[in-house]
Amino acid sequence: MSMSKPPSSASAPAKLILCGEHAVVYGRPAIALPLAGVRANVQVDQGRPGSGITLRATNLHQEWKVDGASPDPLGELALATLHHLGIPPSDLVIMIDSAIPIAGGMGSGAAVATALVRALAAHIGCVLPAGEISALVYTCEQRYHGTPSGIDNTVIAHERPIWFERRMGSGQRRTVNHIEPVAIANPLTLVIGDTGVRSETRLPVGEVRQRWQADPTTYEALFDQVGSLVRQAREALAMGDHESLGPLLNENQRLLETMGVSSPELARLVQAARDAGASGAKLSGAGWGGVMLALADDDDITRRAIVGALKRAGAVQVLETQIESSVLV
Ligand code: MEV
């Protein structure tokens, strides 16, 4: 009697950019956080003999075969992962089930891709290091987003708060990623408001690129200001100084508005959160839609006031999350 292999599964978290999005594409630092409670799940099962690789997005009610000659980005990632693991493509059914809004600024694509790589590795009883997963997922991100900085795949694969900076490699045109853990002295309470507007990352990223190409002096100066506030935000996090952090997030929002990546819906939620007592609020991710975040003090009354204000201002979903303190070891 032949025993069929049990399915293997894995998951990966959503992400939030606390500060520094867009400027991070141009070599300035950014701080990103994993959202442990909002996840993408992938299960890998043996398929029928000769059926090839099937991808099934259960919550989107979609199913497709991976075409070896011209695979879609996720199919290509599955093939690349099998190649990386040293196993030939076989008959597999890969089921994706994600609670992360698509094109909502929370890293849905990178989280699905990370869960897929982890689940394929688990299928052969292997655990890949975060750096290898991140590199595989980055190639997939490039297919979707054009010129991603790599911050999404990095924070999701490492699953801890990170400082991320792209630096030019010595004497080459290649960039190397500088990644450091971020110390958080006091837990952070964040309220996340979803505008419900879906916007593909590559669109605002392309807009900023065009503006930068048209006026590099102005945009380099804007990116420098973002880099400076991200450095101050790291200090504030390390000191547990949330009073300083809030205004830095507000300043980041102002600079993102100048870059042209906010939207009326985002601006309305940001203002509502501030009016309700958030010490800082800004869009998070690429912008033109998706989510914003608000820094709530550690008291229930303000937190609940922010949640209520975001709902009244049109948020289709409001999430609360606590980012635990973390020390550098
Ligand atoms: C998207 O999560 C963050 C952006 O900075 C794009 C990127 O870094 O690739 C807008």
Side-chain angles (χ1 to χ4, degrees):
M1 194 177 75
S2 75
M3 296 275 285
S4 67
K5 203 171 177 178
S8 320
S9 53
S11 71
K15 71 91 198 3
L16 271 187
I17 308 254
L18 183 66
C19 49
E21 54 274 89
H22 285 290
V24 70
V25 175
Y26 300 84
R28 277 37 166 219
I31 296 172
L33 311 166
L35 282 183
V38 188
R39 304 187 77 85
N41 299 288
V42 171
Q43 183 175 308
V44 176
D45 208 350
Q46 267 331 114
R48 278 182 292 101
S51 61
I53 301 177
T54 305
L55 279 161
R56 188 177 296 156
T58 33
N59 49 352
L60 299 179
H61 309 291
Q62 284 176 9
E63 180 174 307
W64 66 100
K65 292 267 178 218
V66 175
D67 173 357
S70 59
D72 63 288
L74 271 184
E76 187 171 281
L77 177 67
L79 293 172
T81 304
L82 293 171
H83 180 76
H84 185 81
L85 293 165
I87 47 175
S90 51
D91 303 315
L92 297 171
V93 181
I94 302 174
M95 278 163 288
I96 301 160
D97 190 8
S98 174
I100 309 169
I102 295 169
M106 292 169 72
S108 142
V112 165
T114 301
L116 186 150
V117 174
R118 285 181 177 161
L120 282 172
H123 197 63
I124 60 156
C126 157
V127 179
L128 288 174
E132 284 179 32
I133 297 173
S134 182
L136 283 161
V137 173
Y138 182 66
T139 311
C140 184
E141 288 277 283
Q142 282 176 309
R143 287 274 310 264
Y144 281 118
H145 302 318
T147 54
S149 63
I151 190 168
D152 288 13
N153 47 284
T154 304
V155 67
I156 289 169
H158 287 268
E159 222 167 324
R160 63 175 300 173
I162 58 157
W163 168 273
F164 181 93
E165 209 175 333
R166 298 171 95 191
R167 292 184 182 160
M168 292 307 279
S170 55
Q172 315 153 13
R173 295 195 65 223
R174 272 171 52 93
T175 54
V176 280
N177 296 337
H178 178 76
I179 306 155
E180 281 178 34
V182 169
I184 298 180
N186 282 337
L188 276 184
T189 304
L190 298 175
V191 183
I192 302 156
D194 185 353
T195 60
V197 178
R198 297 290 160 249
S199 172
E200 286 178 46
T201 302
R202 67 185 171 83
L203 300 176
V205 169
E207 166 80 10
V208 174
R209 182 160 296 275
Q210 278 182 13
R211 287 175 173 228
W212 171 71
Q213 280 165 345
D215 186 358
T217 312
T218 300
Y219 275 77
E220 285 294 325
L222 282 173
F223 299 151
D224 280 343
Q225 289 178 63
V226 175
S228 156
L229 76 82
V230 172
R231 285 190 182 84
Q232 293 172 62
R234 173 158 72 173
E235 288 294 302
L237 287 170
M239 306 295 288
D241 177 5
H242 295 179
E243 264 175 46
S244 302
L245 185 61
L248 292 167
L249 300 183
N250 289 338
E251 172 64 0
N252 198 171
Q253 171 67 14
R254 190 186 67 75
L255 294 165
L256 288 162
E257 282 169 9
T258 311
M259 288 176 211
V261 295
S262 191
S263 70
E265 294 84 1
L266 282 164
R268 192 177 322 122
L269 296 189
V270 163
Q271 194 55 52
R274 288 180 191 158
D275 291 347
S279 57
K282 63 179 278 290
L283 69 86
S284 178
W288 281 2
V291 296
M292 49 70 68
L293 60 83
L295 182 60
D297 289 338
D298 203 14
D299 78 280
D300 279 357
I301 296 171
T302 319
R303 193 175 39 74
R304 273 195 243 120
I306 297 169
V307 171
L310 288 176
K311 286 184 179 161
R312 283 192 299 281
V316 296
Q317 200 184 357
V318 179
L319 299 168
E320 296 170 51
T321 187
Q322 175 110 335
I323 308 293
E324 295 307 327
S325 37
S326 53
V327 286
L328 302 184
V329 283

